[in-house]
Amino acid sequence: MYLSRALNTSMAPPDWVSVNLTLKCNLKCTMCTTCYDMDRELSTAEVMDIIDQTALWGVKVFNPLGGEPFMRPDLEAILEHACSKDFYITLTTNGTLINRKRATALAVIPASKLHFNISLDGPEDINDSVRGEGMFRRSMKGYHRLREADLAAGNPRRKILANTIIHGRNLARLPRSEE
């Protein structure tokens, strides 16, 4: 890395591409400073062009970001395109916009190629104090819809993780290590 910087040239190609698909979000989380309305977002064609270009470089991981990626009505098409270019996709979402139709559309993408990080800030009361009343349950509904759609499609168990930002409201309630 240091030699690359000294020579002002890449000695190793990137292996991961992150793209902000949107900065819009359906929630108003107390700790978030990254979500806001934009005059213009990347078009579907522009996002797919980024995917195409980075696939040519040999990049293997596509990380679509937000805001909330499910604010984009074309999200499933973007993810399918990334999968067709042999990307592994890791998508972070608050999970609240995953309805049955969207979960069914996502179940078409192989479980080995797409996994999810669902943002939860701790137990229900803590999560809802940060993300809004009822958001923990809505996130969990999204989680269950993904699981049900994969089951109906005959898919193996898809990797779905909890993504937690540690802050003053949840620190005392998070599990501690035994060390």
Side-chain angles (χ1 to χ4, degrees):
M1 180 179 79
Y2 296 111
L3 183 58
S4 291
R5 287 184 180 166
L7 298 174
N8 197 27
T9 187
S10 176
M11 305 297 276
D15 59 0
W16 184 290
V17 62
S18 296
V19 179
N20 272 7
L21 299 181
T22 184
L23 293 177
K24 295 175 185 172
C25 188
N26 61 314
L27 303 183
K28 301 288 184 213
C29 303
T30 58
M31 80 304 198
C32 183
T33 60
T34 60
C35 299
Y36 48 90
D37 288 336
M38 295 288 297
D39 291 337
R40 182 186 175 288
E41 295 181 338
L42 294 172
S43 69
T44 306
E46 289 170 323
V47 173
M48 289 184 179
D49 186 49
I50 291 168
I51 291 167
D52 293 345
Q53 288 180 54
T54 54
L56 291 173
W57 301 341
V59 175
K60 289 295 178 198
V61 179
F62 176 57
N63 182 27
L65 300 171
E68 171 52 49
F70 280 93
M71 293 291 288
R72 295 226 18 172
D74 59 351
L75 178 62
E76 292 83 355
I78 289 169
L79 298 178
E80 286 176 17
H81 184 72
C83 185
S84 77
K85 297 295 180 176
D86 204 29
F87 277 94
Y88 296 94
I89 306 159
T90 178
L91 178 82
T92 300
T93 175
N94 62 42
T96 64
L97 298 176
I98 303 172
N99 58 33
R100 283 185 178 82
K101 180 179 178 185
R102 294 191 101 168
T104 300
L106 292 168
V108 172
I109 299 173
S112 63
K113 289 291 190 176
L114 171 63
H115 81 264
F116 294 92
N117 299 315
I118 297 180
S119 297
L120 296 168
D121 286 294
E124 185 172 355
D125 61 323
I126 299 294
N127 185 81
D128 287 0
S129 75
V130 172
R131 296 182 180 267
E133 190 65 32
M135 293 306 113
F136 183 89
R137 288 184 185 196
R138 283 183 57 191
S139 295
M140 293 309 297
K141 277 186 186 176
Y143 165 82
H144 288 292
R145 288 175 180 144
L146 290 171
R147 288 283 184 230
E148 290 163 5
D150 275 335
L151 186 62
N155 293 338
R157 191 165 174 86
R158 186 180 304 274
K159 185 168 142 182
I160 303 176
L161 306 173
N163 184 58
T164 302
I165 296 173
I166 300 171
H167 48 75
R169 288 190 182 182
N170 65 7
L171 181 60
R173 299 271 307 273
L174 295 176
R176 302 230 181 255
S177 106
E178 298 295 321
E179 295 180 39

PDB file of all heavy atoms in Angstrom, residues 6 55 59 68 108 122 172:
ATOM      1  N   ALA A   6       3.426   5.873  -2.859  1.00  0.00           N
ATOM      2  CA  ALA A   6       4.669   6.556  -3.225  1.00  0.00           C
ATOM      3  C   ALA A   6       4.813   6.667  -4.736  1.00  0.00           C
ATOM      4  O   ALA A   6       5.274   7.688  -5.255  1.00  0.00           O
ATOM      5  CB  ALA A   6       5.869   5.835  -2.617  1.00  0.00           C
ATOM      6  N   ALA A  55     -16.562  -4.725 -12.475  1.00  0.00           N
ATOM      7  CA  ALA A  55     -16.461  -6.162 -12.782  1.00  0.00           C
ATOM      8  C   ALA A  55     -15.274  -6.408 -13.720  1.00  0.00           C
ATOM      9  O   ALA A  55     -14.551  -7.397 -13.559  1.00  0.00           O
ATOM     10  CB  ALA A  55     -17.757  -6.672 -13.406  1.00  0.00           C
ATOM     11  N   VAL A  59     -13.211  -6.801  -9.514  1.00  0.00           N
ATOM     12  CA  VAL A  59     -13.811  -6.601  -8.195  1.00  0.00           C
ATOM     13  C   VAL A  59     -14.845  -7.693  -7.972  1.00  0.00           C
ATOM     14  O   VAL A  59     -15.583  -8.058  -8.883  1.00  0.00           O
ATOM     15  CB  VAL A  59     -14.452  -5.189  -8.096  1.00  0.00           C
ATOM     16  CG1 VAL A  59     -15.184  -5.011  -6.777  1.00  0.00           C
ATOM     17  CG2 VAL A  59     -13.399  -4.112  -8.282  1.00  0.00           C
ATOM     18  N   GLU A  68     -31.292   4.469   2.882  1.00  0.00           N
ATOM     19  CA  GLU A  68     -31.950   3.163   2.892  1.00  0.00           C
ATOM     20  C   GLU A  68     -32.064   2.670   1.459  1.00  0.00           C
ATOM     21  O   GLU A  68     -32.830   3.218   0.670  1.00  0.00           O
ATOM     22  CB  GLU A  68     -33.326   3.260   3.547  1.00  0.00           C
ATOM     23  CG  GLU A  68     -34.182   2.015   3.426  1.00  0.00           C
ATOM     24  CD  GLU A  68     -33.472   0.745   3.875  1.00  0.00           C
ATOM     25  OE1 GLU A  68     -32.874   0.730   4.978  1.00  0.00           O
ATOM     26  OE2 GLU A  68     -33.516  -0.242   3.118  1.00  0.00           O
ATOM     27  N   VAL A 108     -34.859 -14.783  -5.723  1.00  0.00           N
ATOM     28  CA  VAL A 108     -34.343 -15.269  -7.009  1.00  0.00           C
ATOM     29  C   VAL A 108     -32.814 -15.216  -7.035  1.00  0.00           C
ATOM     30  O   VAL A 108     -32.169 -16.012  -7.702  1.00  0.00           O
ATOM     31  CB  VAL A 108     -34.929 -14.421  -8.173  1.00  0.00           C
ATOM     32  CG1 VAL A 108     -34.282 -14.738  -9.498  1.00  0.00           C
ATOM     33  CG2 VAL A 108     -36.439 -14.616  -8.234  1.00  0.00           C
ATOM     34  N   GLY A 122     -30.195  -2.756  19.267  1.00  0.00           N
ATOM     35  CA  GLY A 122     -30.323  -3.437  20.546  1.00  0.00           C
ATOM     36  C   GLY A 122     -31.723  -3.967  20.723  1.00  0.00           C
ATOM     37  O   GLY A 122     -32.464  -4.143  19.752  1.00  0.00           O
ATOM     38  N   ALA A 172     -24.820  -0.062  27.457  1.00  0.00           N
ATOM     39  CA  ALA A 172     -25.037  -0.790  28.712  1.00  0.00           C
ATOM     40  C   ALA A 172     -25.904  -2.033  28.540  1.00  0.00           C
ATOM     41  O   ALA A 172     -25.868  -2.935  29.372  1.00  0.00           O
ATOM     42  CB  ALA A 172     -25.671   0.137  29.754  1.00  0.00           C
TER      43      ALA A 172
END
